[in-house]
Amino acid sequence: MTGSLGLERGLTHYGDPDFALYLRRSFARSMGYSSEMLSRPVIGIADSSSGFNNCHRHFPEMIEAVKRGVLAAGGLPLVFPTISLGEVFLSPTSLMFRNLMAMDIEEMIRAQPMDAVVLLCGCDKTVPAALMGALSAGRPATLLVAGPMLSARWRGERLGACTDCRRFWAKFRAGELASDEIAEVESHLATTAGTCAVMGTASTMASLVEALGMILPGTAAIPAVHADRLRAAEASGAAAMALAGSGLTPERIVTREAVENALRTLLAIGGSTNAVIHLTAIAGRAGIDLSLDRLNELSEETPVLVDLKPTGAHYMEDLFAAGGLGAVLRELKPLLHLDCLTVAGDTLGERLAAPAEPVDRAVIRPLAEPFQEKGGLVALFGSLAPKGAIFKRSAADPRLFEKEGRAVVFSSLEDLSARIDDPELEVSPEDFLVLQNAGPASPAAMPEAGYLPIPQKLARGGVRDMVRISDARMSGTAYGSIVLHVTPDAASGGPIGRVRTGDKIRLSVKERRLDLLVSPEDLARREWAPPPMPPRGYARLYRQEILQADRGCDFNFLRRTPLPEE
Ligand code: FES
């Protein structure tokens, strides 16, 4: 445990280090610790639970298990709170606060005397925030994710947050479900602790941090309420003790090769579009540039291997029972960089060399017989998205992949909600719905609003999908022919802000193109103005520093290498 300093690390400045340590120990003694305990390596346990975060409500029990692991391995576990980001409780959107949470975690790891840290996280933004903060802090760390919720039943039908939330809401909007029925569904969608039950953003990010080597092998998919989750927590405490003083910091684990492994995994699991933003931001904290061109290259060579909602039929608990992420990584093995390190101290190759458990092929397909031949996500470029846009082809209708359509434009979220169900709205199923001013630089701060509802009059006529384009994001649990993250966004002067109803747009997934069929001269004549700068506080810092989606929506000054001013 060379390098473990325990409470002697980072003394408070009084001009007398011996006095500072004496004072720190005397105050620590007021918490009832013995001298023996206070001489141990210190393992911080970052607790992101909150009354505003249903997904993390089992953290008190998990924290007890982490402490058990630390104590048994000879360390002193000290819990500290962090910001919590409960996805549906935050306004305008949780993404706005991801960087704030990452800053909180980075600074508190660095400011407090800990030799290593276990970071509890789970709900969508908390996983990237924890890893971004840990990477920047540079102290040995392991993440520990919440694990997914279990699915439930309603009138015999299996359902779970949140793909089914959207499926039932769409039925309700189409008049296929009555008010009392949707109220019943509401109480059956999220019925246990843990993160959303499908391969949404939370489970995607959990899978990616396992592929990156930043959680213990085999722990991404363990359901939140399963006893194995507590065993994983205990083992994470012990792992943190092994990391303490080892010099194995997150930046030695999150290498370019590991990021590429994570990108492959994202494609193979048909994961959330949000993960492209988060992985780009994580890579940026490690000094690695992740390009959307590379995403396209890997997408051509990496098939979708899991049959999970929202692209398939199953839930996260089925993935766990089928063999977990380890079984997926084993299939991907020929495509992975195997010498990448994990927080367990071994390499990915050593991990995957262990004898394989039986795999349920209904959920995890072999590489040679995939669920879908190509990766779930592609990046599009063109005159409407000069710096890229994301399209989740695995969750879209292939009949809409090569298409030209008339734009029906909504200038903001407010405009969308005011007019989308207007019976007078001129719209046909062949049109492209376009939402502006919902990107990272907008006051809306890039909400998950890219899943534009089908106009009610079309939904009631049986239309279930149409092309929808925005600078917003989409929930990882959503599906449809949806083009997201159009960059630059409208609020920073991107072409999407100058589209007008009646313009023609051409989408070609085959050519990876998204083009606005309006001449540059005509486009330049159209008016555009940036939104007003917030007067104060974090909102102002956010607006001043937020980078576009192609840079992971991090703050420039938090990147390992800040970008030059444009
Ligand atoms: Fe927390 Fe979905 S709301 S993971």
Side-chain angles (χ1 to χ4, degrees):
M1 206 128 337
T2 325
S4 292
L5 295 171
L7 287 183
E8 294 180 30
R9 186 183 284 278
L11 291 172
T12 314
H13 287 190
Y14 291 111
D16 179 348
D18 292 338
F19 171 74
L21 182 57
Y22 149 79
L23 200 65
R24 178 174 288 173
R25 283 209 180 112
S26 67
F27 276 70
R29 278 174 185 279
S30 79
M31 295 188 274
Y33 292 112
S34 64
S35 303
E36 191 275 321
M37 275 289 168
L38 296 180
S39 67
R40 290 180 170 202
V42 175
I43 304 301
I45 302 173
D47 176 10
S48 58
S49 64
S50 153
F52 292 96
N53 193 334
N54 59 292
C55 301
H56 294 189
R57 79 168 156 86
H58 56 314
F59 278 9
E61 196 182 19
M62 282 173 63
I63 285 169
E64 285 311 307
V66 177
K67 283 181 172 175
R68 203 160 62 224
V70 174
L71 286 167
L76 171 62
L78 294 179
V79 182
F80 65 100
T82 73
I83 291 173
S84 185
L85 303 178
E87 188 61 24
V88 299
F89 293 94
L90 289 159
S91 177
T93 173
S94 62
L95 180 67
M96 180 166 170
F97 303 104
R98 183 200 63 184
N99 298 348
L100 184 64
M101 183 176 178
M103 288 169 76
D104 173 10
I105 287 174
E106 172 186 346
E107 298 302 336
M108 287 304 102
I109 292 174
R110 201 183 284 126
Q112 299 175 128
M114 62 190 81
D115 296 302
V117 59
V118 180
L119 296 144
L120 278 83
C121 49
C123 196
D124 294 15
K125 310 305 177 293
T126 63
V127 180
L131 184 48
M132 289 159 71
L135 271 162
S136 297
R139 198 75 53 86
T142 181
L143 272 56
L144 172 62
V145 296
M149 295 178 201
L150 297 182
S151 61
R153 297 284 190 284
W154 180 68
R155 297 188 182 176
E157 190 173 350
R158 196 177 178 200
L159 70 175
C162 219
T163 303
D164 296 319
C165 314
R166 293 167 205 288
R167 186 164 61 85
F168 279 96
W169 190 250
K171 283 187 179 190
F172 174 61
R173 280 178 55 81
E176 295 167 18
L177 220 58
S179 301
D180 57 333
E181 289 177 310
I182 195 76
E184 274 182 37
V185 169
E186 183 185 296
S187 63
H188 288 77
L189 286 167
T191 55
T192 74
T195 49
C196 286
V198 299
M199 190 53 86
T201 304
S203 293
T204 301
M205 291 311 301
S207 304
L208 265 50
V209 290
E210 183 167 334
L212 281 169
M214 281 303 302
I215 57 174
L216 284 179
T219 61
I222 304 169
V225 297
H226 197 294
D228 281 354
R229 173 65 48 208
L230 295 176
R231 279 184 276 273
E234 186 180 306
S236 298
M241 272 299 289
L243 287 168
S246 70
L248 185 55
T249 52
E251 70 177 2
R252 289 187 52 208
I253 296 172
V254 182
T255 59
R256 181 173 295 282
E257 290 73 24
V259 168
E260 203 149 280
N261 286 345
L263 203 50
R264 290 256 190 220
T265 304
L266 169 63
L267 294 161
I269 61 178
S272 163
T273 48
N274 285 318
V276 179
I277 290 179
H278 299 319
L279 194 57
T280 304
I282 289 165
R285 294 296 182 106
I288 299 161
D289 277 326
L290 191 63
S291 85
L292 293 178
D293 290 314
R294 187 66 183 140
L295 171 74
N296 277 344
E297 285 167 17
L298 295 187
S299 194
E300 285 309 288
E301 316 163 345
T302 314
V304 180
L305 297 178
V306 303
D307 183 358
L308 246 65
K309 287 175 187 269
T311 53
H314 296 92
Y315 294 84
M316 280 302 290
E317 67 199 71
D318 304 321
L319 178 68
F320 174 63
L325 193 76
V328 180
L329 294 174
R330 196 162 274 116
E331 291 302 326
L332 283 177
K333 196 172 166 185
L335 303 174
L336 298 176
H337 301 284
L338 298 175
D339 50 358
C340 294
L341 291 167
T342 79
V343 286
D346 56 359
T347 64
L348 179 62
E350 286 165 347
R351 174 195 172 181
L352 298 180
E357 301 278 328
V359 176
D360 180 352
R361 292 300 182 193
V363 181
I364 303 168
R365 306 283 170 83
L367 190 61
E369 295 166 48
F371 180 53
Q372 293 177 8
E373 294 288 337
K374 304 264 173 84
L377 304 175
V378 289
L380 308 173
F381 298 89
S383 60
L384 186 52
K387 294 199 171 176
I390 294 291
F391 186 75
K392 188 170 183 176
R393 60 179 165 185
S394 59
D397 182 347
R399 287 172 301 179
L400 301 176
F401 282 13
E402 309 299 317
K403 190 168 169 58
E404 195 174 301
R406 184 188 76 107
V408 175
V409 178
F410 301 91
S411 61
S412 65
L413 290 162
E414 295 73 23
D415 185 34
L416 175 72
S417 57
R419 292 196 297 123
I420 189 77
D421 289 337
D422 184 343
E424 302 298 314
L425 181 71
E426 268 190 49
V427 63
S428 86
E430 304 307 314
D431 292 337
F432 289 8
L433 304 181
V434 178
L435 172 64
Q436 301 169 321
N437 294 306
S442 74
M446 208 180 188
E448 292 184 338
Y451 178 75
L452 276 69
I454 304 291
Q456 202 160 42
K457 66 180 184 185
L458 298 183
R460 294 209 158 153
V463 177
R464 290 290 172 267
D465 196 9
M466 54 194 293
V467 175
R468 289 158 273 178
I469 300 170
S470 73
D471 48 11
R473 296 177 298 120
M474 172 173 85
S475 164
T477 61
Y479 48 89
S481 298
I482 296 173
V483 180
L484 301 152
H485 312 178
V486 170
T487 305
D489 69 346
S492 56
I496 187 170
R498 295 173 201 248
V499 183
R500 299 291 179 261
T501 293
D503 288 348
K504 285 284 187 322
I505 295 173
R506 186 169 165 269
L507 167 69
S508 173
V509 177
K510 194 167 61 189
E511 295 171 22
R512 309 282 184 269
R513 297 287 305 179
L514 183 68
D515 288 298
L516 177 60
L517 307 182
V518 174
S519 73
E521 297 76 32
D522 283 353
L523 213 54
R525 276 195 287 273
R526 293 179 181 176
E527 285 180 8
W528 170 81
M533 178 64 72
R536 60 174 299 282
Y538 178 70
R540 188 175 176 87
L541 176 71
Y542 173 89
R543 188 74 65 77
Q544 285 171 337
E545 295 293 338
I546 189 71
L547 295 171
Q548 291 283 294
D550 64 330
R551 299 296 188 173
C553 299
D554 202 358
F555 293 163
N556 198 25
F557 68 91
L558 295 174
R559 287 169 53 89
R560 171 71 52 87
T561 314
L563 299 162
E565 297 273 329
E566 289 201 352

